[in-house]
Amino acid sequence: MKKVSAEVNGKKVTKEIADHTLLSVFLREVLNLTGTHVGCDTSSCGACTLIVNGEAVKSCSLLAAQCEGAEVMTIEGLAASDGTLHPIQEGFREKHGLQCGYCTPGMIMSSVQLLQRNPNPSDQEIRHALEGNFCRCTGYDNIVKAVQWAASQS
Ligand code: FES
Ligand code: FES
């Protein structure tokens, strides 16, 4: 067992967990933050993407113990405290960027990092940034439009 302390969506958390606990499992099963989805557990689908210390990462490929002292942001931490959606969340709603929604948290968190680094990305740059995120409903065109909509709001 190992004690891990991190800041998750702005709140300090300290938990004792098994050494081999994946970050995705830690969030979903220990902290009950089930907005981070798990689609493959083999670092392929991107459904589990979130942000650790400013970097989008696949949380099924990281141990929770590696996040000691880190700042972690999940989809639950994206909207403002009064419930106002993040522009990318709004974009997915405006442009019908989801169907079943399984891939959506990961798509959104990858898009957050993209727009932080490139506030006005081209269609190609959006598609490149989302290469690691799979949508089984194949809604890619509307996902790109959602990110473009969010970019146009800044
Ligand atoms: Fe992590 Fe698929 S669950 S990449
Ligand atoms: Fe269903 Fe993307 S909306 S997997």
Side-chain angles (χ1 to χ4, degrees), residues 103-136:
C103 69
T104 309
M107 289 283 186
I108 287 178
M109 298 312 278
S110 293
S111 302
V112 166
Q113 178 175 264
L114 168 64
L115 293 191
Q116 281 172 347
R117 295 180 176 182
N118 180 1
N120 191 22
S122 66
D123 183 287
Q124 274 310 105
E125 287 168 332
I126 295 170
R127 288 177 191 274
H128 181 64
L130 297 178
E131 270 175 0
N133 294 79
F134 298 163
C135 177
R136 287 168 291 185

Side-chain angles (χ1 to χ4, degrees), residues 23 27 48-62 67 70-74 106 108-114 116-117 129 133:
L23 178 57
L27 293 165
C48 65
T49 304
L50 44 75
I51 297 185
V52 177
N53 291 335
E55 294 282 334
V57 297
K58 293 179 176 177
S59 59
C60 73
S61 65
L62 214 60
C67 296
E71 287 181 19
V72 178
M73 181 187 276
T74 71
I108 287 178
M109 298 312 278
S110 293
S111 302
V112 166
Q113 178 175 264
L114 168 64
Q116 281 172 347
R117 295 180 176 182
N133 294 79

Side-chain angles (χ1 to χ4, degrees), residues 11-63:
K11 289 188 194 142
K12 299 241 185 256
V13 294
T14 300
K15 297 282 181 188
E16 195 157 359
I17 53 169
D19 293 10
H20 62 271
T21 306
L22 294 173
L23 178 57
S24 52
V25 172
F26 177 66
L27 293 165
R28 289 178 56 83
E29 297 182 13
V30 180
L31 301 183
N32 290 321
L33 293 171
T34 55
T36 296
H37 291 168
V38 174
C40 67
D41 247 349
T42 54
S43 199
S44 303
C45 75
C48 65
T49 304
L50 44 75
I51 297 185
V52 177
N53 291 335
E55 294 282 334
V57 297
K58 293 179 176 177
S59 59
C60 73
S61 65
L62 214 60
L63 294 173

Side-chain angles (χ1 to χ4, degrees), residues 97-104 107 134-140 143:
L98 63 141
Q99 293 178 62
C100 78
Y102 204 85
C103 69
T104 309
M107 289 283 186
F134 298 163
C135 177
R136 287 168 291 185
C137 302
T138 64
Y140 295 105
I143 288 169

